[in-house]
Amino acid sequence: MTSRPARAPKAAKTVFIHHIVADMDRPDTLNTRLANIQEKICLALIRSGFGKIIVVNQQVADRLREMGFKRQQILLSSNFVDPLSRPRAYEQKDITLSFCGRMVGQKGVDDFVHVCKKLAPIVPNFRAVMIGLGPEIERLRAQIVHEELPIEMVGYVNDATKF
């Protein structure tokens, strides 16, 4: 293997980390153990070869610092949401609050439902939507129906529909 000079020698290699697999509540299976091993290898490579890390939330940033990522610059992102989207006035919106992600506990699905439960009685015309699929979807649907919450579960939608 031959080495080529870097095209941008002063540029820092950057990686995006969405979550840390080892911290997720998952069943102890062969797949989980393999994912944990793979993650350890990836984190070792990131620690030694990357200068910047982009994370999706402060908890991941804090956890990386605890794991010894001291020299890397850790940047917090908002999941690369399009900042050019023009917000509409509240009166023009048909959705009050939305959740977009995989329907699993570690993504905050129960927190979202709890917030909706608190806001629905005090916000006029409150309406929420949960976008995504995952193992918790049926339990959430049953809870929403049982508690008569104004939350629509739409499953998977394309990016244009999300915006």
Side-chain angles (χ1 to χ4, degrees):
M1 183 169 153
T2 60
S3 175
R4 292 186 299 175
R7 292 186 182 167
K10 293 185 180 182
K13 289 183 182 175
T14 304
V15 64
F16 180 81
I17 299 177
H18 198 273
H19 55 260
I20 299 171
V21 174
D23 292 346
M24 295 168 61
D25 184 26
R26 297 172 48 162
D28 184 21
T29 65
L30 177 60
N31 282 344
T32 299
R33 290 190 294 275
L34 291 172
N36 290 340
I37 291 168
Q38 179 183 17
E39 181 178 70
K40 285 179 183 179
I41 294 167
C42 289
L43 291 174
L45 292 170
I46 291 166
R47 187 178 287 112
S48 66
F50 287 77
K52 291 184 181 178
I53 301 172
I54 300 171
V55 297
V56 73
N57 61 49
Q58 189 61 50
Q59 290 85 357
V60 173
D62 294 343
R63 183 69 175 113
L64 288 170
R65 292 282 180 230
E66 289 172 12
M67 295 171 76
F69 287 83
K70 304 293 185 198
R71 71 170 186 82
Q72 289 85 357
Q73 182 180 11
I74 298 179
L75 308 166
L76 186 61
S77 162
S78 59
N79 243 347
F80 299 103
V81 171
D82 182 1
L84 301 176
S85 296
R86 302 241 189 269
R88 290 185 287 171
Y90 179 75
E91 298 78 30
Q92 296 174 329
K93 294 181 180 184
D94 54 350
I95 300 290
T96 310
L97 193 62
S98 65
F99 171 92
C100 184
R102 199 161 50 95
M103 297 296 164
V104 292
Q106 61 263 34
K107 297 286 185 182
V109 293
D110 292 311
D111 295 332
F112 182 84
V113 172
H114 179 74
V115 167
C116 290
K117 196 183 320 186
K118 295 289 186 182
L119 290 177
I122 60 175
V123 174
N125 302 314
F126 180 88
R127 184 166 166 241
V129 63
M130 294 184 83
I131 302 167
L133 298 171
E136 298 288 325
I137 198 164
E138 292 307 320
R139 178 187 64 80
L140 291 165
R141 277 193 178 123
Q143 180 182 359
I144 289 164
V145 168
H146 176 74
E147 297 181 25
E148 300 179 357
L149 298 171
I151 303 172
E152 183 180 358
M153 304 283 288
V154 297
Y156 171 82
V157 298
N158 63 36
D159 287 342
T161 303
K162 287 177 197 174
F163 283 105

